[in-house]
Amino acid sequence: MKTYTFPREIRLCCVTADSFPQGVAMAFQQLHSTVPDPVGRRLFGLSWPDGKGSMVYKAAVEERFAGEAEKLGAEPYTLQKGEYIGLEVQNFMEDIPSIGRAFKQLVDAPGVDPGTMGVEEYVGASVLCMVPIK
């Protein structure tokens, strides 16, 4: 595991998946049709338990300017600054369940709240799986 730091809050444009995990791909498709020109933007996935035995999942991309999410009809969300522990999953498209295994390792780490938010940051063929730490 490695520590990652977001030195500032990150404002995001989001689309919530209608189900998890089945609706995740559709949420990213909808995000790409809602937010023009995603090239050069940071791409994220956010997830947390919904309290009913399932997960809330948001496909997200960094805003180019304040208020962009609202202007485009996307959901605004602010990813909090701070420290996160994480694992990098390379070539995740060849083994999608590897993302879930990485998050299982992270939430089982000492001091991590099992109900915490998971943050995926997609970087090329890799995904950084992270959870906030206090």
Side-chain angles (χ1 to χ4, degrees):
M1 288 183 215
K2 184 176 174 183
T3 301
Y4 297 90
T5 302
F6 293 133
R8 62 175 177 78
E9 292 181 337
I10 302 170
R11 293 273 305 153
L12 303 171
C13 302
C14 301
V15 171
T16 300
D18 61 5
S19 63
F20 180 85
Q22 302 84 355
V24 170
M26 182 61 76
F28 276 105
Q29 289 173 359
Q30 186 178 350
L31 177 69
H32 290 299
S33 68
T34 302
V35 179
D37 190 26
V39 176
R41 297 181 191 231
R42 294 170 76 182
L43 184 64
F44 294 91
L46 310 173
S47 59
W48 58 86
D50 70 356
K52 302 173 190 169
S54 191
M55 299 288 286
V56 173
Y57 188 93
K58 294 182 181 291
V61 66
E62 188 171 18
E63 282 188 336
R64 288 208 195 276
F65 57 88
E68 182 182 26
E70 294 91 335
K71 181 179 178 185
L72 297 173
E75 303 165 34
Y77 188 88
T78 302
L79 186 58
Q80 296 302 307
K81 69 179 180 179
E83 290 190 338
Y84 293 71
I85 57 168
L87 294 167
E88 181 178 359
V89 177
Q90 297 181 358
N91 301 314
F92 69 93
M93 289 301 289
E94 295 173 14
D95 182 15
I96 299 289
S98 63
I99 295 172
R101 291 191 300 272
F103 278 114
K104 173 80 171 105
Q105 263 187 276
L106 292 168
V107 298
D108 286 347
V112 173
D113 175 2
T116 194
M117 176 177 61
V119 178
E120 303 161 5
E121 183 172 8
Y122 294 90
V123 183
S126 296
V127 60
L128 297 176
C129 299
M130 300 172 277
V131 295
I133 54 177
K134 300 279 180 206

